Amino acid sequence: MTPTLAMHWMDSDRPATSRNHDALDAFLRGIERRALRMAEFAVGSRDDALDIVQDCMLTFVRNYRDKPAADWAPLFHRVLDSRVLDFHRRHQVRSRWFGWIDRLVGREGEDVDALADVADAQVAQPWQAVADGETAAALESALRALPHRQRQAFLLRIWEGLDVADTARAMACSEGSVKTHLSRAMGALRARLEHHHG
């Protein structure tokens, strides 16, 4: 794991008080490892996840360091989710663009549908798990198989321990939606893990 970016945020625009600096540094150090795992679940690559978390931390510090500490967790996770969605959008565009090029180069004169064979950018790449046992691998696989919003609700509520209200703020949805997503996630995970152990 790379060192926390907390040590670098003094370079941004406004100076912070020493107490705020220490509190923010502790918050970032406390959340960075779990944030990396969440990003890795979402994008399937540790290197990409590191880039996302680093960018997330810098954006969070730049925009939200003066907010009350009680608001930091949901705000941080909203930024993280935004960076993950940006990553998927960029890769979708890149996949389409290079798909066109790959299918057009060297095929002049052919009647070719350049989009016909482009890979679906929404399909997750194979999970490069660093598992410490079959159960961990099965759980990671089950989490990766969840729809994004269900996985997000599960990780924020169960892994991060945010309450329903803060989870709803982080996900920018209603508390009822959080409960629905979490219930579906728990059902799907239970079914997959029971199947694994059955």
Side-chain angles (χ1 to χ4, degrees):
M1 178 72 199
T2 57
T4 182
L5 294 182
M7 65 187 69
H8 300 299
W9 57 269
M10 289 182 287
D11 296 334
S12 44
D13 322 314
R14 295 163 295 175
T17 65
S18 177
R19 187 187 323 182
N20 193 43
H21 177 285
D22 292 344
L24 190 53
D25 183 65
F27 170 76
L28 293 176
R29 287 181 186 280
I31 205 168
E32 66 181 343
R33 189 175 303 266
R34 297 189 310 277
L36 177 62
R37 292 290 283 158
M38 293 173 77
E40 197 172 357
F41 278 129
V43 303
S45 161
R46 189 167 183 85
D47 288 341
D48 289 332
L50 279 167
D51 290 342
I52 287 169
V53 171
Q54 289 172 354
D55 184 45
C56 173
M57 285 186 170
L58 288 173
T59 300
F60 172 79
V61 168
R62 189 177 302 118
N63 295 324
Y64 299 116
R65 68 180 177 201
D66 294 329
K67 295 288 185 183
D71 293 341
W72 285 347
L75 289 170
F76 179 88
H77 287 292
R78 184 177 288 188
V79 174
L80 180 61
D81 188 52
S82 175
R83 290 297 171 269
V84 167
L85 292 175
D86 288 346
F87 172 88
H88 285 299
R89 279 192 212 100
R90 283 196 306 274
H91 279 263
Q92 184 175 23
V93 170
R94 190 174 303 144
S95 174
R96 287 180 179 161
W97 175 247
F98 284 112
W100 277 41
I101 294 172
D102 290 344
R103 278 147 192 86
L104 291 177
V105 170
R107 295 170 71 170
E108 293 178 17
E110 293 183 31
D111 187 13
V112 175
D113 178 358
L115 288 180
D117 300 321
V118 175
D120 183 354
Q122 298 300 320
V123 175
Q125 297 302 309
W127 174 242
Q128 303 299 317
V130 181
D132 54 3
E134 285 188 20
T135 301
L139 177 59
E140 289 184 354
S141 177
L143 283 168
R144 298 260 313 142
L146 290 176
H148 172 69
R149 298 292 273 177
Q150 290 181 27
R151 183 174 58 245
Q152 188 181 21
F154 177 85
L155 292 172
L156 291 175
R157 286 283 290 123
I158 306 303
W159 194 350
E160 284 296 302
L162 297 186
D163 63 22
V164 174
D166 281 346
T167 302
R169 289 174 60 200
M171 293 177 63
C173 67
S174 70
E175 293 184 17
S177 292
V178 169
K179 293 175 183 176
T180 299
H181 289 311
L182 180 60
S183 175
R184 291 176 180 166
M186 296 291 281
L189 290 172
R190 187 176 300 113
R192 286 181 66 96
L193 294 175
E194 284 175 355
H195 176 74
H196 173 76
H197 289 292

